[in-house]
Amino acid sequence: NRYISFLRTKVVNEKNKRISDSYKTGSWSALNSFFQFLVPEYIQNNPVAHTNRPKMKDNPDVTYLTEEEIALVLNNVRKKANVRMVNRDLCILKIGFAVGLRVSEIVQIDIDDIDFKNNKIKITGKGDRSYYVFIGDRLKQQILLWLEDKQKYFSHIESNALFVSQEGNRISPRSIKDLL
């Protein structure tokens, strides 16, 4: 408890600066995991297990892209992407921008997960938790454009994955990060 209290501030340029709650919580979790690893081989009990995890009170600053920045990214894709992949890349980015999905959630989307009638997509999130996100008509049209291109250029591929690589495999999170 004293150590976590000690983490409240740090000295930067000879001034005390407040440490974020998420840093303290992460430090507590790391200590708890380390001591749990030591039990029972090296110590008898975990001293951190008898303490309370620090509360998360602060919200880290989040930076959002402006509409102009999003337009620049999408225009860049239109100009530079391979003709076979331009609609796929636009679809990936628009789903990310419009719905705010994690990359790992985007790569797991299957064609069967899309309900075009009700404009929604079933998403599998962390811990295999499933939920639905709603999409607008413009995003729906972008998905349909990609599905047309997928059929046109990748009809020989038997994959239910919404997004495939140029080799025809389900796209990887690394490929999306490279795209960005």
Side-chain angles (χ1 to χ4, degrees):
N1 283 333
R2 282 186 294 175
Y3 176 70
I4 297 299
S5 294
F6 166 78
L7 292 177
R8 284 188 183 143
T9 60
K10 70 177 180 179
V11 177
V12 177
N13 297 330
E14 299 178 19
K15 293 182 181 177
N16 281 341
K17 182 179 176 187
R18 187 178 184 280
I19 300 295
S20 71
D21 292 337
S22 59
Y23 181 82
K24 290 187 287 189
T25 302
S27 298
W28 182 89
S29 295
L31 284 171
N32 188 40
S33 295
F34 176 67
F35 281 114
Q36 194 59 43
F37 164 76
L38 295 176
V39 175
E41 295 287 322
Y42 302 99
I43 61 176
Q44 291 187 353
N45 60 5
N46 178 354
V48 179
H50 305 294
T51 64
N52 292 326
R53 183 174 190 251
K55 300 273 190 274
M56 291 282 290
K57 297 175 190 163
D58 59 22
N59 293 325
D61 292 337
V62 177
T63 304
Y64 298 96
L65 293 176
T66 64
E67 285 184 43
E68 294 80 21
E69 290 168 330
I70 291 172
L72 286 170
V73 169
L74 297 176
N75 285 332
N76 192 43
V77 169
R78 287 182 188 100
K79 290 178 193 172
K80 297 185 178 184
N82 177 319
V83 69
R84 297 179 345 151
M85 297 298 169
V86 68
N87 282 322
R88 180 205 68 179
D89 293 352
L90 288 171
C91 192
I92 289 169
L93 293 172
K94 286 180 178 183
I95 284 177
F97 291 150
V99 186
L101 298 178
R102 294 178 173 86
V103 172
S104 61
E105 294 169 335
I106 293 173
V107 300
Q108 291 183 47
I109 299 173
D110 288 331
I111 296 169
D112 296 344
D113 294 334
I114 305 170
D115 179 352
F116 289 106
K117 183 180 176 188
N118 296 306
N119 285 10
K120 65 183 182 177
I121 303 174
K122 181 181 176 186
I123 303 297
T124 304
K126 284 183 166 182
D128 287 333
R129 181 182 61 93
S130 294
Y131 61 97
Y132 287 90
V133 294
F134 291 92
I135 58 173
D137 289 330
R138 291 193 310 191
L139 180 53
K140 176 181 173 179
Q141 289 307 313
Q142 185 65 56
I143 294 170
L144 290 171
L145 285 173
W146 161 239
L147 289 175
E148 286 176 20
D149 284 357
K150 183 179 179 199
Q151 180 62 36
K152 181 178 176 181
Y153 298 118
F154 300 98
S155 60
H156 61 284
I157 304 298
E158 292 188 31
S159 173
N160 192 33
L162 177 59
F163 300 115
V164 294
S165 68
Q166 292 188 33
E167 293 81 32
N169 303 317
R170 182 182 293 271
I171 195 169
S172 69
R174 179 68 191 178
S175 295
I176 293 179
K177 290 175 184 174
D178 289 346
L179 167 66
L180 285 174

